[in-house]
Amino acid sequence: MMKVPRHLFVPKVIESYAYHDCPQQIGEGQTISAPHMVGIMVEKLDLRSGHKVLEVGGGSGYHAAVVAEVVGKKGHVYSVEYIESLAKWGKENIKKCGLDDIVTIIQGDGSKGLLEYAPYDRIFVTCASPDVPPPLLEQLNDKGKLLIPTGGRHYQTLVYYEKRGKKIVKKDYGGCVFVPLRGKYGFRLFS
Ligand code: SAH
């Protein structure tokens, strides 16, 4: 995390708050996760050099950049972002950090996963989902691991899934709050 300049991933006007341990507004009603949450998710995902990773909810590109520092040049991070303007901005931020050979940001509905580059060693979702979208489990490698906040619109549990052959191991990592997942497997209503 020390290698990624977080101030490059927040709007200029709040640059001085970039290193506070809290989420920050990034526009379009979305947020960049707090550093501690990024740290927890990177640790629980058990990332290794060379992993092919899928992120759902690219936002600023910050979380993808931190993951890129772990998987390195032998790995790759595919990050899907629903909102076009954020996908474009996230891409610019990744380029500024010189990580564009490791991170690919794609605009689309990540609730359906990203079949084009599947299967993935690791998948993580940075928005709240009513439940785990079936395509994400399908697009996970055997022995692959997935992290996703599931539950209600305003409060969720960070849930871990590990694929072991036909078996799925599930663990709960406690309460969290994320912005809602949109798209096919996301929340229907927005207020
Ligand atoms: N990981 C981001 C956090 C962004 S907040 C960061 O480091 O900045 C979650 C993001 O998920 C928002 O940008 C939101 O637009 C996006 N999102 C919501 N539903 C989505 C979907 N179905 N597919 C892809 N992205 C989605």
Side-chain angles (χ1 to χ4, degrees):
M1 287 179 78
M2 298 296 283
K3 287 189 186 165
V4 181
R6 188 168 156 97
H7 64 276
L8 297 183
F9 293 85
V10 299
K12 266 246 168 294
V13 285
I14 55 163
E15 210 179 70
S16 58
Y17 300 102
Y19 295 91
H20 291 201
D21 192 14
C22 53
Q24 302 288 351
Q25 301 292 331
I26 54 170
E28 306 281 358
Q30 308 304 320
T31 51
I32 174 175
S33 302
H36 76 266
M37 183 51 74
V38 174
I40 289 169
M41 288 180 74
V42 166
E43 190 181 292
K44 299 298 181 201
L45 211 50
D46 185 29
L47 294 158
R48 300 290 152 93
S49 162
H51 272 166
K52 182 169 37 152
V53 183
L54 173 68
E55 175 184 39
V56 178
S60 66
Y62 175 74
H63 201 149
V66 173
V67 171
E69 289 292 353
V70 186
V71 301
K73 284 196 191 304
K74 288 187 197 140
H76 205 88
V77 186
Y78 295 94
S79 176
V80 187
E81 170 52 48
Y82 197 79
I83 300 173
E84 206 167 328
S85 59
L86 287 179
K88 188 170 170 277
W89 181 60
K91 249 184 229 177
E92 288 164 13
N93 297 341
I94 288 291
K95 205 171 167 66
K96 271 190 233 163
C97 295
L99 291 169
D100 48 322
D101 51 344
I102 308 179
V103 180
T104 306
I105 297 187
I106 294 149
Q107 193 271 322
D109 177 9
S111 80
K112 296 190 277 190
L114 185 64
L115 202 51
E116 212 175 331
Y117 302 102
Y120 302 95
D121 300 306
R122 300 289 186 267
I123 298 178
F124 66 102
V125 181
T126 66
C127 32
S129 180
D131 207 341
V132 59
L136 298 188
L137 283 174
E138 285 157 19
Q139 292 173 28
L140 199 59
N141 254 334
D142 189 29
K143 299 200 171 67
K145 296 170 182 178
L146 182 159
L147 267 184
I148 180 167
T150 62
R153 286 262 320 266
H154 305 290
Y155 184 74
Q156 306 90 33
T157 304
L158 186 62
V159 186
Y160 166 96
Y161 292 87
E162 188 179 329
K163 216 180 198 178
R164 288 194 198 152
K166 289 200 171 99
K167 248 182 80 185
I168 301 277
V169 177
K170 190 180 168 191
K171 280 187 218 168
D172 285 0
Y173 284 130
C176 55
V177 178
F178 282 80
V179 294
L181 176 76
R182 306 180 186 202
K184 186 169 180 192
Y185 296 95
F187 286 97
R188 294 281 144 247
L189 294 168
F190 290 95
S191 53

